[in-house]
C-alpha cells in the first residue's frame, strides 16, 4: 500500500504516521532561531490577544488556522477546527492554544478529541471521490474500525503502512507453517489431534507438563485439524489485520497474547485434565472486542452491512466453538487422555470484552490515561496470580487423576 500517491479532492497526501503535522509559521512571523517553539506560539497568541486576557476567541483561532492552511492537510485542519469549536464558551486559553497548534498529545488535547464537537466542517470521508485502490482500502479500514468521523479522517491522513500489520501476518504464517510441518511429519492433515504422536510435540499444553511455562503460550501453533486452523486463520486475518492497521501491533498484540494466556490458564483451572491446542483464545479476544466495540458504538459505525458482518462473525465463532465442544466430549483416540479443551475460547472472550474493549474504544487516548484500563489490568493480574497458585497447589490437594505424560 505505502503512502497515499496522488490525493483526491480535499484528501491529504504524505502525512506522518500517528501525528498531525506541526504548523509552520509564515516567514514574516518566524521568531529567532534560538527561540523555543512555544515562544513563537506565545507571540502569535499575544497578537490575537491585545488585551492580555489570557484567552482568544475561537473565531480568531479559526482565522489563524486558515492563514496556515497551505501548510496543513485538509482533514487535519478540520480536526483542529472541530477541536476549537468544542469550546462552548467560544474562547481558547493559552495552554489549549499551544497544544492545538503544536499538536501535543496532552490530556487536554485528548479530552478535546474524546468530548469535543464531532461535527466536521465539510463532507464525510466516505463521500470523497477519485481515490485509488490503496486509498479506498485505507478508507474502508477506517470505517470498519472507528466510530467517529473525526478519528476516521485523522487516521486516513496519518496512515502510511509503515510499519505494516506485521504481528497478525507473522503469527498467521507461523501457525500455517507449523501445521504443514506436523502434517508432513505425522502424515495426517485432516484431524491431526487423533494421531498418537500429536501430543508429544513440545508446543502443546498438557496438564502433566504444566510446569513448562512456555506451553501456556506456544500451544497456539498447534491446531487440531485443517478446519480448526482454517477458521482461526480466517478470523484473525479478516478482523486482526484491519485492527492492527488502525491501533498498531503493540495494542493488538497485547490483546491477542492476553487472550492466549488467559485461555490456557482458564483450562488449567476449569478443565484440569485436558490439553490445549489452537489460537482460539487470541482470536476470540480480538473478535469479541471488535464486535463489542461495534455494538457499543452502533450509531457511529458506518461500515457497510455491519449487521450481516456481525452475523457472519458470530456464525463462524459458533461453528468453531461447537466443533471444539464436540471434539472435547468425543471418545479419545488415545485414552485415558481426553481431546483438547474448549475452555480457552471462553477465556479469550472474557479478555476481549474487558481489556480488548478498552484498547479499541479510543483511537488516540493513551491506555495509561484511562481508569477503566487499570481496573481491567488489575482484574487480569489477579486472575493470572490465582491461576498460577491454583496450578501449584490445587492439583495435588484435589488428588486428581491426570492422564499420563505424552
Amino acid at each position: 500500500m505505502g503512502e497515499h500517491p496522488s490525493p483526491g479532492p480535499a484528501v491529504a497526501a504524505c502525512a506522518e504516521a500517528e501525528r498531525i503535522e506541526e504548523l509552520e509559521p509564515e516567514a514574516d512571523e518566524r521568531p529567532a532561531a534560538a527561540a523555543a517553539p512555544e515562544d513563537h506560539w506565545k507571540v502569535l497568541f499575544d497578537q490575537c490577544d491585545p488585551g492580555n486576557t489570557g484567552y482568544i476567541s475561537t473565531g480568531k483561532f479559526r482565522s489563524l488556522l486558515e492563514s496556515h492552511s497551505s501548510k496543513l492537510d485538509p482533514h487535519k485542519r478540520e480536526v483542529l477546527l472541530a477541536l476549537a469549536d468544542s469550546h462552548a464558551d467560544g474562547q481558547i486559553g493559552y495552554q489549549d492554544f499551544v497544544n492545538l497548534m503544536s499538536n501535543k498529545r496532552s490530556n487536554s488535547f485528548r479530552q478535546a478529541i474524546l468530548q469535543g464537537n464531532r461535527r466536521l466542517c465539510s463532507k464525510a470521508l466516505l463521500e470523497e471521490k477519485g481515490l485509488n485502490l490503496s486509498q479506498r482500502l485505507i478508507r474502508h479500514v477506517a470505517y470498519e474500525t472507528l466510530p467517529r468521523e473525526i478519528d476516521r479522517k485523522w487516521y486516513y491522513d496519518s496512515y502510511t503502512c509503515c510499519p505494516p500489520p506485521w504481528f497478525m501476518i507473522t503469527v498467521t504464517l507461523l501457525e500455517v507453517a507449523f501445521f504443514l510441518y506436523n502434517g508432513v511429519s505425522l502424515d495426517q492433515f485432516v484431524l491431526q489431534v487423533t494421531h498418537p504422536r500429536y501430543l508429544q510435540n513440545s508446543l502443546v499444553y498438557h496438564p502433566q507438563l504444566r510446569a513448562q511455562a512456555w506451553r501456556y503460550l506456544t500451544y497456539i501453533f498447534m491446531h487440531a485439524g485443517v478446519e480448526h486452523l482454517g477458521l482461526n486463520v480466517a478470523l484473525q486475518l479478516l478482523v486482526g489485520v484491519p485492527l492492527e492497521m488502525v491501533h498498531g501491533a503493540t495494542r493488538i498484540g497485547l490483546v491477542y497474547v492476553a487472550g492466549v494466556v488467559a485461555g490456557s490458564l482458564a483450562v488449567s483451572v476449569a478443565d484440569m485434565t485436558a490439553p490445549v491446542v489452537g489460537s482460539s483464545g487470541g482470536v476470540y479476544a480480538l473478535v469479541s472486542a471488535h464486535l463489542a466495540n461495534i455494538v457499543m458504538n452502533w450509531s457511529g459505525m458506518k461500515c457497510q452491512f455491519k449487521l450481516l458482518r456481525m452475523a457472519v462473525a458470530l456464525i463462524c465463532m459458533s461453528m468453531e466453538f461447537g466443533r471444539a465442544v464436540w471434539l472435547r466430549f468425543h471418545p479419545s483416540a488415545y485414552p485415558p487422555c481426553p481431546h483438547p479443551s474448549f475452555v480457552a475460547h471462553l477465556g479469550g472472550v472474557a479478555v476481549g470484552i474487558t481489556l480488548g474493549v478498552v484498547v479499541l474504544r479510543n483511537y488516540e487516548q493513551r491506555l495509561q490515561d484511562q481508569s477503566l484500563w487499570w481496573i481491567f489490568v488489575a482484574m487480569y493480574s489477579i486472575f493470572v496470580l490465582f491461576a498460577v497458585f491454583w496450578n501449584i497447589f490445587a492439583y495435588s490437594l484435589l488428588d486428581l487423576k491426570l492422564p499420563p505424560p505424552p
Side-chain angles (χ1 to χ4, degrees), residues 39-227:
D39 292 339
H40 168 67
W41 303 130
K42 175 63 174 171
V43 172
L44 288 181
F45 189 88
D46 289 342
Q47 291 176 358
C48 297
D49 180 30
N52 199 25
T53 62
Y55 293 91
I56 63 173
S57 67
T58 54
K60 289 184 178 179
F61 179 73
R62 293 174 66 92
S63 299
L64 192 59
L65 279 179
E66 292 297 337
S67 69
H68 292 78
S69 60
S70 61
K71 305 294 195 303
L72 191 65
D73 290 330
H75 292 155
K76 295 178 181 177
R77 184 172 66 253
E78 290 184 32
V79 171
L80 292 178
L81 289 172
L83 295 181
D85 289 341
S86 69
H87 292 257
D89 57 359
Q91 293 183 317
I92 298 177
Y94 171 67
Q95 191 56 53
D96 284 338
F97 174 83
V98 172
N99 290 338
L100 289 173
M101 295 296 281
S102 60
N103 305 297
K104 292 184 177 180
R105 292 299 190 267
S106 64
N107 286 335
S108 61
F109 190 88
R110 284 187 292 273
Q111 287 303 314
I113 285 287
L114 296 175
Q115 300 172 4
N117 188 345
R118 305 302 190 212
R119 292 173 299 181
L120 299 180
C121 307
S122 63
K123 61 184 179 181
L125 180 61
L126 195 59
E127 300 173 8
E128 297 283 3
K129 304 298 182 181
L131 305 183
N132 60 34
L133 180 62
S134 172
Q135 292 170 326
R136 290 199 298 270
L137 176 60
I138 295 170
R139 182 179 64 178
H140 174 76
V141 169
Y143 276 93
E144 288 292 317
T145 55
L146 295 171
R148 304 180 183 94
E149 185 68 17
I150 195 170
D151 291 334
R152 288 192 283 258
K153 288 191 173 184
W154 191 343
Y155 165 74
Y156 180 89
D157 283 314
S158 300
Y159 186 71
T160 60
C161 197
C162 185
W166 60 269
F167 177 79
M168 292 309 309
I169 293 175
T170 300
V171 169
T172 300
L173 291 176
L174 287 174
E175 291 171 0
V176 172
F178 276 104
F179 180 82
L180 294 176
Y181 172 79
N182 286 320
V184 172
S185 61
L186 300 176
D187 194 23
Q188 186 165 338
F189 287 92
V190 177
L191 198 60
Q192 293 182 352
V193 74
T194 59
H195 196 281
R197 289 192 290 112
Y198 180 81
L199 291 184
Q200 295 178 9
N201 194 294
S202 60
L203 302 179
V204 175
Y205 169 84
H206 191 283
Q208 281 282 21
L209 303 174
R210 63 188 184 279
Q212 298 176 357
W214 70 84
R215 293 178 180 264
Y216 290 89
L217 184 61
T218 58
Y219 73 92
I220 67 171
F221 299 117
M222 302 292 293
H223 285 79
V226 66
E227 79 292 341

